Amino acid sequence: MHHARDAAAFRELSALRQEFYRCLTRRADALFELTDAVLCADGPTRSIAELSLIGEHRRGHGSGYAALARGQVDFDRLRTALAAVSLPRAADGRLVLAVDVTCWLRPEAHTCPQRILCHTYGRGKDQHIMVPGWPYSVVVALESGRHSWTAPLDAVRLAPGDDAASVTARQIRDVVNRLITAGHWSPGDPEILLVADAGYDGPRLAHVLADLPIIVLVRMRSDRVLRRPAPPLRPGPSPGRPARHGAEFAFGDPNTWGEPDSTLETTTRLYGPARIRAWDRLHPKLTSRTAWASHTGDLPILDGTVILLQVERLPSGAIPKPVWLWHSRTSLTHAEVDLAWQAFLRRFDIEHTFRMLKQTLGWTTPKLRSPDAADRWTWLLLTAYTQLRLARDHTIDLRHPWERPRPTRRLSPARIRRGFRNLRPQLDCPARVPKPSRPGTGRPPGLPNHQPAIRHDVHTVTSTNKQKPKRGNKAKSTNPRPRRTG
């Protein structure tokens, strides 16, 4: 039984490599071998040229940059190929998706177009600095278990002027439709759960994606104020318009909470004792501004369930803060509340995926000038990461002497990568042998470049990043920050 399952996974990995090669419509051999060089390297990727020193890369040191600059990749077909492979599921059998934005910072790349000011965390002492770069919205499928594996499904670069909320909604819709087409979801299956952090407008996503079999679970800031359902109308005539919103539910004021509809207490391995409380049928009070400015008619009432998670400790030793979650479904059972907060904690696996892409596979290492070349390099690494995930049951653990042995299902992506070179000869390698050629003459010595590259400005004002006008020399207000009601 296990041998049949392993053989099927092995065939799936070879089929993905064949389909990946067919998605490379121009300079396919160089792009394919560049991906294999990333998978078979002994250490972190430090430059594209150094990948030519690896035995699996049979071309010159300039072929990698040339393939990224002038190659072509069928992104739609590659998205379909990644959505067709086997995907992880939660304990109840449902698909759990996570979406987040990560940035490829290019602060000194003045000749790179379409750079946007990206919000960075932890640069300096308690400073959040805006750095120019290319932001990417990435969607992955989360997996349960004591590891940090994810299944990348899509990556979209945010262009200047893009609305992050609209791009995310369109991206999630395309991903869900591809999953349905691939047979990962059919009528009668549990709804797909989408998990996001506080930077996303959960009620807005739930409203836009209401026609899809998807549940939205997002974290909310601790200063939010939601509303309860409107009280029933009193009998008899009443002056004025009927109320659409009930009493306030302020996250920062426990006096407004009332008794929770559901309470759970459990003990976790990393966080110690945890207490989970849930309040049913709470909604934000929407206003005809920002994302709802173009909405016609009355603004909708988007009821959901608010979940408060409180733990005793954090693995880093920091003081834990309460976590507020908004679930797009109402009347949740105890089992659904228990699944919701655990699914949100699994969202942090996407951060480990970003770290793997950047620090080990070298996503932000090459100094590419064109954003199109950056898109090609991004998709090469997403495909490489998917190959590592499919190969984790077939590679041998080549651990260092100071590393502890681990079960095969708990090996990290970096340790799976060490043994991929031994697995590669057994897989399909459709790349052709390079033809012998002579390098070009290049620029004659002493002849300067008379066509300097065009310098591009950084796009500082977009629909999601608008700078407020300066207030001159007026002193900063000392009034407390108003509560957010939207």
Side-chain angles (χ1 to χ4, degrees):
M1 184 69 177
H2 293 286
H3 294 289
R5 184 177 59 186
D6 295 343
F10 195 85
R11 291 193 299 269
E12 184 181 25
L13 176 56
S14 294
L16 175 63
R17 289 171 60 86
Q18 289 282 357
E19 182 64 18
F20 171 55
Y21 182 79
R22 288 189 285 267
C23 295
L24 309 176
T25 57
R26 186 177 181 185
R27 302 212 175 203
D29 300 325
L31 291 175
F32 189 88
E33 290 193 356
L34 185 64
T35 307
D36 274 2
V38 173
L39 289 170
C40 299
D42 294 331
T45 301
R46 294 183 174 86
S47 71
I48 298 296
E50 288 184 2
L51 292 177
S52 63
L53 303 178
I54 300 175
E56 287 73 13
H57 192 282
R58 300 173 293 181
R59 286 160 173 80
H61 62 273
S63 63
Y65 279 107
L68 293 176
R70 293 184 286 274
Q72 294 293 334
V73 180
D74 190 348
F75 295 129
D76 293 336
R77 184 172 182 175
L78 188 52
R79 287 185 173 97
T80 304
L82 295 185
V85 300
S86 58
L87 298 179
R89 295 177 180 269
D92 61 346
R94 74 174 69 239
L95 288 170
V96 181
L97 306 181
V99 59
D100 203 355
V101 175
T102 183
C103 301
W104 184 340
L105 301 181
R106 301 302 308 275
E108 298 179 357
H110 304 288
T111 58
C112 293
Q114 300 184 15
R115 290 185 303 158
I116 306 175
L117 286 181
C118 304
H119 195 87
T120 59
Y121 298 89
R123 288 182 169 257
K125 184 178 180 181
D126 299 331
Q127 292 182 354
H128 297 173
I129 305 175
M130 305 297 290
V131 180
W134 292 318
Y136 280 82
S137 176
V138 182
V139 178
V140 302
L142 301 180
E143 185 173 348
S144 59
R146 295 178 60 180
H147 49 71
S148 59
W149 284 98
T150 64
L153 297 174
D154 194 19
V156 175
R157 178 173 49 84
L158 301 179
D162 283 348
D163 181 22
S166 300
V167 172
T168 302
R170 184 168 57 253
Q171 183 182 19
I172 296 298
R173 180 177 295 277
D174 294 340
V175 168
V176 172
N177 289 332
R178 285 194 294 269
L179 294 178
I180 295 175
T181 303
H184 292 295
W185 188 91
S186 57
D189 294 342
E191 293 179 297
I192 301 174
L193 180 61
L194 174 65
V195 186
D197 206 2
Y200 292 88
D201 189 351
R204 174 71 177 177
L205 283 176
H207 176 73
V208 175
L209 304 175
D211 58 324
L212 297 177
I214 192 169
I215 301 174
V216 178
L217 177 66
V218 298
R219 182 173 70 91
M220 283 190 167
R221 294 169 54 111
S222 58
D223 60 351
R224 293 293 295 267
V225 177
L226 301 186
R227 297 300 183 100
R228 300 182 186 274
L233 294 178
R234 296 180 180 179
S238 59
R241 184 178 181 182
R244 301 185 71 238
H245 310 284
E248 289 186 348
F249 185 96
F251 291 177
D253 187 3
N255 297 324
T256 63
W257 298 353
E259 291 296 326
D261 297 291
S262 179
T263 302
L264 299 174
E265 292 186 1
T266 183
T267 301
T268 61
R269 183 177 59 89
L270 293 178
Y271 306 100
R275 186 184 184 191
I276 304 96
R277 287 174 285 178
W279 291 266
D280 194 22
R281 296 194 177 278
L282 296 175
H283 64 271
K285 183 179 179 181
L286 306 179
T287 57
S288 299
R289 294 179 297 179
T290 60
W292 301 97
S294 60
H295 185 83
T296 58
D298 293 337
L299 294 175
I301 300 295
L302 305 175
D303 284 328
T305 302
V306 171
I307 302 173
L308 173 60
L309 171 62
Q310 292 176 307
V311 298
E312 184 181 74
R313 64 176 184 268
L314 294 178
S316 61
I319 300 176
K321 297 181 181 180
V323 177
W324 292 92
L325 306 176
W326 186 86
H327 197 286
S328 62
R329 294 292 183 266
T330 58
S331 303
L332 299 183
T333 63
H334 288 275
E336 291 174 333
V337 173
D338 191 31
L339 175 66
W341 72 269
Q342 295 185 54
F344 177 78
L345 294 183
R346 298 298 313 190
R347 191 207 69 85
F348 293 97
D349 290 346
I350 195 175
E351 306 292 343
H352 295 281
T353 301
F354 293 156
R355 187 179 296 109
M356 174 69 182
L357 293 175
K358 293 181 179 181
Q359 298 182 2
T360 304
L361 301 184
W363 179 47
T364 59
T365 294
K367 308 302 180 183
L368 303 177
R369 177 181 298 177
S370 169
D372 296 333
D375 294 343
R376 300 183 191 104
W377 177 243
T378 300
W379 277 98
L380 292 187
L381 294 190
L382 292 183
T383 308
Y385 185 91
T386 304
Q387 293 185 49
L388 291 178
R389 184 177 65 86
L390 297 178
R392 58 181 175 172
D393 293 335
H394 308 284
T395 55
I396 301 176
D397 183 18
L398 303 178
R399 64 184 181 90
H400 293 149
W402 56 86
E403 293 178 338
R404 295 180 180 179
R406 289 185 177 181
T408 303
R409 299 295 298 179
R410 289 188 56 193
L411 291 179
S412 64
R415 289 174 69 162
I416 293 295
R417 181 171 174 250
R418 295 176 195 166
F420 192 86
R421 170 175 289 177
N422 299 332
L423 181 65
R424 181 180 177 273
Q426 308 173 36
L427 300 173
D428 292 340
C429 298
R432 295 166 294 185
V433 178
K435 299 178 181 179
S437 61
R438 292 180 124 185
T441 57
R443 186 187 305 164
L447 183 64
N449 182 15
H450 296 289
Q451 296 180 352
I454 302 175
R455 301 172 71 90
H456 301 272
D457 295 332
V458 179
H459 295 266
T460 58
V461 179
T462 64
S463 58
T464 58
N465 175 30
K466 296 183 180 180
Q467 295 181 346
K468 297 181 180 179
K470 296 182 178 180
R471 301 191 301 177
N473 298 327
K474 190 175 181 180
K476 185 177 180 180
S477 174
T478 58
N479 295 332
R481 183 177 179 180
R483 295 181 301 177
R484 300 178 59 189
T485 59

